[in-house]
Amino acid sequence: MPAGEEFARLAEPFRPELLVHCYRIVGSIHDAEDLVQETYLRAWRSYDSFEGRSSLRFWLYRIATSACLTALEHRSRRMLPSGLGPASDDPDRPLSLGEPGTAWVQPLPAPQSDPMTADPAAIVASRGSVRLALIAALQHLPAKQRAVLILRDVVAWRAAEVADLLDTTPAAVNSALQRARAHLERIAPVEEALAEPDEPGHRALLDQYMLAFENADIDALLRLLRDDVALEMPPNATWFAGRSAVGRFIATKVFAGPSMARMVRTEANGQSAVAAYFAHDGIHRAHAVQVLTLTRTGISRIISFNDPDLFAPFGLPVSLAPARVPTSS
């Protein structure tokens, strides 16, 4: 078998987990996709020199991590609105966009395959390690600390292996890991036990949320929100906290009447999510991917990524066919 065909056959199964790995480091699905492409191009070009002194998976992770660190040398840290300043207390004021050049954290589509059915060595896409709150917190770490934390605590590399990749010593890796863990503990939000997407109560809560949006029913929506709920809407820097402020903003600035919104269930970052389509000229067009933090006491966070370009990575259409109207018999 020619080397190129052999490489494609052996390397392709690792693509989904490498995408998640790059995403954890850079916080962007678009950048992660580009970096995985770069990883495979680099690996294909040098496959003839790969002598099997390590596993192919380990070798691909080395290349991918190096590509991510090189990319981060020239890119700004990605943020969420809550990382830029306090919540607004006036839902009636116009929203403010982020400063020019602001880079936003992006959501991660659900993996194409169930990681629990994969080889144990490849189980790196667990829900907890891609929660949106964690990805946003990781962005506050220096790039090398971020890589050390992910390689040691998620991918489960040994300190010596990480040291070899970063051209440093195992002692330096362990020191960086301790600093990264300590910093993350200070800045990462403490979340109560989240309702998992496959729990019946969780599914019912999500169905009620979608229905409230489609019916523009603010009273129904308010019953689903916790008192401490937060709403973020990148690329808007403005965000809101508390049921009263969030509800008032949605009622006056989002809801435009029944049937003006259509919602499609999806999943992002190991959490439930919905794709929101808003009506324009009679057609429901892509508007936002909303990632929801659903707890057993209600919805505690809504991050609405108002970017139609995110629909393609999620495998979502950019518009929906008109709803079928029942005909009388």
Side-chain angles (χ1 to χ4, degrees):
M1 179 181 295
E5 293 181 18
E6 179 184 71
F7 170 76
R9 178 180 62 83
L10 296 175
E12 192 61 27
F14 299 110
R15 187 180 291 270
E17 63 178 285
L18 287 170
L19 179 67
V20 176
H21 175 64
C22 291
Y23 171 79
R24 287 192 187 99
I25 296 176
V26 300
S28 161
I29 184 60
H30 294 320
D31 288 354
E33 288 173 337
D34 290 343
L35 287 163
V36 170
Q37 287 295 102
E38 181 179 341
T39 295
Y40 274 76
L41 181 58
R42 288 188 190 181
W44 174 74
R45 285 174 173 169
S46 57
Y47 185 64
D48 286 342
S49 63
F50 174 62
E51 298 175 353
R53 286 174 292 187
S54 64
S55 70
L56 180 62
R57 177 175 180 264
F58 183 87
W59 185 60
L60 290 170
Y61 267 85
R62 286 180 61 99
I63 298 171
T65 305
S66 295
C68 289
L69 292 176
T70 299
L72 289 175
E73 292 176 1
H74 310 289
R75 300 182 192 182
S76 302
R77 184 176 74 191
R78 291 185 172 271
M79 305 291 293
L80 287 176
S82 56
L84 297 176
S88 170
D89 58 2
D90 187 357
D92 297 320
R93 294 182 59 185
L95 299 177
S96 62
L97 291 173
E99 294 292 330
T102 300
W104 301 104
V105 170
Q106 294 178 334
L108 173 73
Q112 296 178 356
S113 59
D114 182 0
M116 299 310 295
T117 64
D119 184 88
I123 300 175
V124 299
S126 62
R127 287 171 177 165
S129 66
V130 292
R131 297 287 192 204
L132 201 51
L134 175 61
I135 298 301
L138 285 171
Q139 293 292 302
H140 291 267
L141 298 175
K144 284 192 176 181
Q145 279 190 25
R146 202 183 310 169
V148 166
L149 182 76
I150 292 167
L151 289 170
R152 292 283 283 119
D153 285 356
V154 180
V155 189
W157 279 19
R158 298 189 300 272
E161 294 169 329
V162 179
D164 182 49
L165 169 63
L166 299 178
D167 193 23
T168 186
T169 65
V173 166
N174 289 331
S175 176
L177 179 62
Q178 291 176 357
R179 294 196 303 274
R181 286 172 175 169
H183 189 62
L184 207 60
E185 187 174 348
R186 290 194 300 271
I187 63 175
V190 178
E191 293 182 336
E192 67 176 67
L194 302 182
E196 294 298 338
D198 53 357
E199 293 181 10
H202 182 128
R203 293 196 298 270
L205 181 60
L206 185 62
D207 288 341
Q208 294 169 38
Y209 175 85
M210 296 168 64
L211 188 61
F213 256 82
E214 292 182 341
N215 292 337
D217 188 341
I218 191 60
D219 292 330
L221 180 66
L222 288 173
R223 288 194 291 270
L224 307 177
L225 305 181
R226 292 188 1 168
D227 288 340
D228 61 351
V229 67
L231 170 65
E232 303 183 61
M233 301 162 288
N236 298 296
T238 306
W239 65 288
F240 303 100
R243 182 192 284 128
S244 175
V246 170
R248 202 163 109 211
F249 174 81
I250 292 176
T252 59
K253 301 295 179 65
V254 179
F255 285 173
S259 302
M260 293 300 291
R262 289 175 65 185
M263 314 295 275
V264 175
R265 184 194 300 265
T266 185
E267 186 177 324
N269 296 82
Q271 303 168 227
S272 283
V274 294
Y277 293 80
F278 287 175
H280 297 282
D281 300 324
I283 299 175
H284 285 84
R285 303 185 190 279
H287 176 70
V289 175
Q290 299 181 356
V291 183
L292 309 176
T293 302
L294 273 59
T295 73
R296 293 178 178 87
T297 55
I299 299 171
S300 65
R301 200 167 208 91
I302 304 167
I303 303 183
S304 181
F305 294 91
N306 299 348
D307 180 2
D309 288 342
L310 290 171
F311 278 56
F314 278 79
L316 294 163
V318 295
S319 63
L320 297 180
R324 302 177 68 179
V325 178
T327 58
S328 57
S329 56

mmCIF file of all heavy atoms in Angstrom, residues 159-187:
data_model
loop_
_atom_site.group_PDB
_atom_site.id
_atom_site.type_symbol
_atom_site.label_atom_id
_atom_site.label_comp_id
_atom_site.label_asym_id
_atom_site.label_seq_id
_atom_site.Cartn_x
_atom_site.Cartn_y
_atom_site.Cartn_z
ATOM 1 N N ALA A 159 4.453 13.363 32.546
ATOM 2 C CA ALA A 159 5.187 14.626 32.597
ATOM 3 C C ALA A 159 6.379 14.611 31.641
ATOM 4 O O ALA A 159 6.685 15.610 30.988
ATOM 5 C CB ALA A 159 5.651 14.916 34.023
ATOM 6 N N ALA A 160 7.046 13.462 31.540
ATOM 7 C CA ALA A 160 8.213 13.366 30.658
ATOM 8 C C ALA A 160 7.812 13.547 29.195
ATOM 9 O O ALA A 160 8.558 14.143 28.407
ATOM 10 C CB ALA A 160 8.912 12.025 30.860
ATOM 11 N N GLU A 161 6.648 13.027 28.819
ATOM 12 C CA GLU A 161 6.189 13.167 27.442
ATOM 13 C C GLU A 161 5.864 14.627 27.107
ATOM 14 O O GLU A 161 6.196 15.126 26.028
ATOM 15 C CB GLU A 161 4.966 12.285 27.215
ATOM 16 C CG GLU A 161 5.271 10.795 27.315
ATOM 17 C CD GLU A 161 4.025 9.937 27.348
ATOM 18 O OE1 GLU A 161 2.984 10.406 27.864
ATOM 19 O OE2 GLU A 161 4.087 8.789 26.863
ATOM 20 N N VAL A 162 5.204 15.320 28.040
ATOM 21 C CA VAL A 162 4.888 16.735 27.829
ATOM 22 C C VAL A 162 6.177 17.548 27.787
ATOM 23 O O VAL A 162 6.325 18.473 26.973
ATOM 24 C CB VAL A 162 3.952 17.254 28.931
ATOM 25 C CG1 VAL A 162 3.643 18.732 28.717
ATOM 26 C CG2 VAL A 162 2.662 16.445 28.971
ATOM 27 N N ALA A 163 7.123 17.208 28.640
ATOM 28 C CA ALA A 163 8.398 17.930 28.668
ATOM 29 C C ALA A 163 9.134 17.777 27.344
ATOM 30 O O ALA A 163 9.729 18.737 26.822
ATOM 31 C CB ALA A 163 9.268 17.411 29.808
ATOM 32 N N ASP A 164 9.087 16.569 26.770
ATOM 33 C CA ASP A 164 9.747 16.345 25.485
ATOM 34 C C ASP A 164 9.119 17.205 24.399
ATOM 35 O O ASP A 164 9.825 17.796 23.567
ATOM 36 C CB ASP A 164 9.649 14.861 25.121
ATOM 37 C CG ASP A 164 10.357 14.545 23.820
ATOM 38 O OD1 ASP A 164 11.513 14.951 23.655
ATOM 39 O OD2 ASP A 164 9.741 13.889 22.957
ATOM 40 N N LEU A 165 7.800 17.308 24.404
ATOM 41 C CA LEU A 165 7.113 18.119 23.397
ATOM 42 C C LEU A 165 7.463 19.599 23.541
ATOM 43 O O LEU A 165 7.707 20.297 22.550
ATOM 44 C CB LEU A 165 5.599 17.939 23.532
ATOM 45 C CG LEU A 165 4.730 18.901 22.726
ATOM 46 C CD1 LEU A 165 4.956 18.715 21.230
ATOM 47 C CD2 LEU A 165 3.260 18.727 23.065
ATOM 48 N N LEU A 166 7.490 20.098 24.781
ATOM 49 C CA LEU A 166 7.691 21.521 25.021
ATOM 50 C C LEU A 166 9.159 21.892 25.191
ATOM 51 O O LEU A 166 9.469 23.052 25.498
ATOM 52 C CB LEU A 166 6.902 21.948 26.259
ATOM 53 C CG LEU A 166 5.372 21.746 26.179
ATOM 54 C CD1 LEU A 166 4.718 22.171 27.480
ATOM 55 C CD2 LEU A 166 4.791 22.519 25.002
ATOM 56 N N ASP A 167 10.049 20.915 25.021
ATOM 57 C CA ASP A 167 11.493 21.157 25.137
ATOM 58 C C ASP A 167 11.834 21.754 26.497
ATOM 59 O O ASP A 167 12.485 22.786 26.614
ATOM 60 C CB ASP A 167 11.980 22.088 24.018
ATOM 61 C CG ASP A 167 13.501 22.112 23.912
ATOM 62 O OD1 ASP A 167 14.136 21.137 24.352
ATOM 63 O OD2 ASP A 167 14.046 23.114 23.393
ATOM 64 N N THR A 168 11.362 21.074 27.555
ATOM 65 C CA THR A 168 11.633 21.519 28.915
ATOM 66 C C THR A 168 11.843 20.278 29.779
ATOM 67 O O THR A 168 12.088 19.188 29.259
ATOM 68 C CB THR A 168 10.477 22.396 29.440
ATOM 69 O OG1 THR A 168 10.820 22.925 30.715
ATOM 70 C CG2 THR A 168 9.175 21.629 29.536
ATOM 71 N N THR A 169 11.763 20.413 31.087
ATOM 72 C CA THR A 169 12.008 19.294 31.994
ATOM 73 C C THR A 169 10.705 18.842 32.653
ATOM 74 O O THR A 169 9.755 19.628 32.770
ATOM 75 C CB THR A 169 12.985 19.694 33.099
ATOM 76 O OG1 THR A 169 12.370 20.714 33.919
ATOM 77 C CG2 THR A 169 14.280 20.241 32.499
ATOM 78 N N PRO A 170 10.638 17.584 33.090
ATOM 79 C CA PRO A 170 9.442 17.131 33.801
ATOM 80 C C PRO A 170 9.140 17.979 35.035
ATOM 81 O O PRO A 170 7.976 18.227 35.353
ATOM 82 C CB PRO A 170 9.790 15.684 34.175
ATOM 83 C CG PRO A 170 10.752 15.244 33.119
ATOM 84 C CD PRO A 170 11.574 16.465 32.814
ATOM 85 N N ALA A 171 10.173 18.431 35.730
ATOM 86 C CA ALA A 171 9.941 19.281 36.907
ATOM 87 C C ALA A 171 9.257 20.587 36.510
ATOM 88 O O ALA A 171 8.344 21.067 37.192
ATOM 89 C CB ALA A 171 11.273 19.570 37.604
ATOM 90 N N ALA A 172 9.696 21.157 35.377
ATOM 91 C CA ALA A 172 9.069 22.403 34.905
ATOM 92 C C ALA A 172 7.623 22.153 34.486
ATOM 93 O O ALA A 172 6.747 22.998 34.708
ATOM 94 C CB ALA A 172 9.867 22.983 33.745
ATOM 95 N N VAL A 173 7.356 21.000 33.895
ATOM 96 C CA VAL A 173 5.986 20.656 33.513
ATOM 97 C C VAL A 173 5.109 20.531 34.748
ATOM 98 O O VAL A 173 3.989 21.060 34.800
ATOM 99 C CB VAL A 173 5.973 19.342 32.703
ATOM 100 C CG1 VAL A 173 4.554 18.779 32.596
ATOM 101 C CG2 VAL A 173 6.557 19.573 31.323
ATOM 102 N N ASN A 174 5.586 19.838 35.769
ATOM 103 C CA ASN A 174 4.796 19.675 36.992
ATOM 104 C C ASN A 174 4.553 21.013 37.682
ATOM 105 O O ASN A 174 3.479 21.257 38.235
ATOM 106 C CB ASN A 174 5.496 18.708 37.949
ATOM 107 C CG ASN A 174 5.436 17.275 37.446
ATOM 108 O OD1 ASN A 174 4.498 16.897 36.746
ATOM 109 N ND2 ASN A 174 6.419 16.471 37.792
ATOM 110 N N SER A 175 5.548 21.896 37.648
ATOM 111 C CA SER A 175 5.375 23.221 38.230
ATOM 112 C C SER A 175 4.315 24.017 37.467
ATOM 113 O O SER A 175 3.442 24.664 38.067
ATOM 114 C CB SER A 175 6.704 23.978 38.223
ATOM 115 O OG SER A 175 6.543 25.289 38.706
ATOM 116 N N ALA A 176 4.370 23.960 36.131
ATOM 117 C CA ALA A 176 3.379 24.660 35.305
ATOM 118 C C ALA A 176 1.985 24.089 35.540
ATOM 119 O O ALA A 176 0.994 24.836 35.569
ATOM 120 C CB ALA A 176 3.756 24.551 33.828
ATOM 121 N N LEU A 177 1.904 22.779 35.721
ATOM 122 C CA LEU A 177 0.609 22.147 35.971
ATOM 123 C C LEU A 177 0.020 22.629 37.292
ATOM 124 O O LEU A 177 -1.177 22.933 37.376
ATOM 125 C CB LEU A 177 0.773 20.628 35.976
ATOM 126 C CG LEU A 177 -0.489 19.810 36.258
ATOM 127 C CD1 LEU A 177 -1.547 20.061 35.190
ATOM 128 C CD2 LEU A 177 -0.145 18.316 36.321
ATOM 129 N N GLN A 178 0.845 22.716 38.327
ATOM 130 C CA GLN A 178 0.354 23.188 39.624
ATOM 131 C C GLN A 178 -0.143 24.627 39.536
ATOM 132 O O GLN A 178 -1.196 24.976 40.088
ATOM 133 C CB GLN A 178 1.454 23.062 40.671
ATOM 134 C CG GLN A 178 1.800 21.625 41.033
ATOM 135 C CD GLN A 178 2.959 21.537 42.006
ATOM 136 O OE1 GLN A 178 3.562 22.546 42.386
ATOM 137 N NE2 GLN A 178 3.306 20.316 42.399
ATOM 138 N N ARG A 179 0.602 25.464 38.817
ATOM 139 C CA ARG A 179 0.178 26.863 38.660
ATOM 140 C C ARG A 179 -1.118 26.960 37.869
ATOM 141 O O ARG A 179 -2.010 27.747 38.205
ATOM 142 C CB ARG A 179 1.276 27.682 37.985
ATOM 143 C CG ARG A 179 2.548 27.843 38.797
ATOM 144 C CD ARG A 179 3.428 28.957 38.263
ATOM 145 N NE ARG A 179 3.786 28.767 36.853
ATOM 146 C CZ ARG A 179 4.814 28.050 36.437
ATOM 147 N NH1 ARG A 179 5.599 27.422 37.323
ATOM 148 N NH2 ARG A 179 5.086 27.932 35.155
ATOM 149 N N ALA A 180 -1.227 26.155 36.817
ATOM 150 C CA ALA A 180 -2.441 26.188 35.998
ATOM 151 C C ALA A 180 -3.651 25.730 36.804
ATOM 152 O O ALA A 180 -4.726 26.342 36.741
ATOM 153 C CB ALA A 180 -2.262 25.304 34.763
ATOM 154 N N ARG A 181 -3.506 24.653 37.565
ATOM 155 C CA ARG A 181 -4.621 24.167 38.384
ATOM 156 C C ARG A 181 -5.044 25.207 39.416
ATOM 157 O O ARG A 181 -6.243 25.446 39.621
ATOM 158 C CB ARG A 181 -4.219 22.873 39.090
ATOM 159 C CG ARG A 181 -4.160 21.647 38.190
ATOM 160 C CD ARG A 181 -3.574 20.473 38.956
ATOM 161 N NE ARG A 181 -3.584 19.228 38.195
ATOM 162 C CZ ARG A 181 -2.945 18.123 38.575
ATOM 163 N NH1 ARG A 181 -2.229 18.131 39.707
ATOM 164 N NH2 ARG A 181 -3.005 17.033 37.843
ATOM 165 N N ALA A 182 -4.065 25.837 40.042
ATOM 166 C CA ALA A 182 -4.375 26.840 41.069
ATOM 167 C C ALA A 182 -5.090 28.040 40.459
ATOM 168 O O ALA A 182 -6.068 28.561 41.022
ATOM 169 C CB ALA A 182 -3.092 27.278 41.777
ATOM 170 N N HIS A 183 -4.614 28.494 39.303
ATOM 171 C CA HIS A 183 -5.235 29.648 38.657
ATOM 172 C C HIS A 183 -6.650 29.307 38.197
ATOM 173 O O HIS A 183 -7.581 30.111 38.367
ATOM 174 C CB HIS A 183 -4.392 30.099 37.466
ATOM 175 C CG HIS A 183 -4.824 31.397 36.871
ATOM 176 N ND1 HIS A 183 -4.813 32.576 37.578
ATOM 177 C CD2 HIS A 183 -5.314 31.709 35.639
ATOM 178 C CE1 HIS A 183 -5.256 33.559 36.810
ATOM 179 N NE2 HIS A 183 -5.572 33.045 35.631
ATOM 180 N N LEU A 184 -6.819 28.122 37.660
ATOM 181 C CA LEU A 184 -8.131 27.702 37.190
ATOM 182 C C LEU A 184 -9.110 27.589 38.355
ATOM 183 O O LEU A 184 -10.291 27.945 38.234
ATOM 184 C CB LEU A 184 -8.012 26.366 36.461
ATOM 185 C CG LEU A 184 -9.062 26.063 35.393
ATOM 186 C CD1 LEU A 184 -9.029 27.114 34.295
ATOM 187 C CD2 LEU A 184 -8.831 24.677 34.805
ATOM 188 N N GLU A 185 -8.639 27.117 39.486
ATOM 189 C CA GLU A 185 -9.503 26.998 40.661
ATOM 190 C C GLU A 185 -9.994 28.366 41.129
ATOM 191 O O GLU A 185 -11.111 28.505 41.621
ATOM 192 C CB GLU A 185 -8.750 26.291 41.788
ATOM 193 C CG GLU A 185 -9.616 25.970 42.991
ATOM 194 C CD GLU A 185 -8.884 25.144 44.022
ATOM 195 O OE1 GLU A 185 -7.787 24.629 43.721
ATOM 196 O OE2 GLU A 185 -9.405 25.014 45.153
ATOM 197 N N ARG A 186 -9.150 29.395 40.936
ATOM 198 C CA ARG A 186 -9.550 30.748 41.362
ATOM 199 C C ARG A 186 -10.558 31.372 40.420
ATOM 200 O O ARG A 186 -11.445 32.119 40.856
ATOM 201 C CB ARG A 186 -8.318 31.662 41.449
ATOM 202 C CG ARG A 186 -7.368 31.348 42.590
ATOM 203 C CD ARG A 186 -6.393 32.484 42.817
ATOM 204 N NE ARG A 186 -5.563 32.753 41.640
ATOM 205 C CZ ARG A 186 -4.405 32.158 41.403
ATOM 206 N NH1 ARG A 186 -3.944 31.252 42.252
ATOM 207 N NH2 ARG A 186 -3.701 32.460 40.321
ATOM 208 N N ILE A 187 -10.451 31.095 39.110
ATOM 209 C CA ILE A 187 -11.274 31.830 38.156
ATOM 210 C C ILE A 187 -12.432 31.030 37.586
ATOM 211 O O ILE A 187 -13.404 31.629 37.109
ATOM 212 C CB ILE A 187 -10.424 32.354 36.979
ATOM 213 C CG1 ILE A 187 -9.819 31.189 36.180
ATOM 214 C CG2 ILE A 187 -9.335 33.289 37.466
ATOM 215 C CD1 ILE A 187 -9.080 31.623 34.943
#
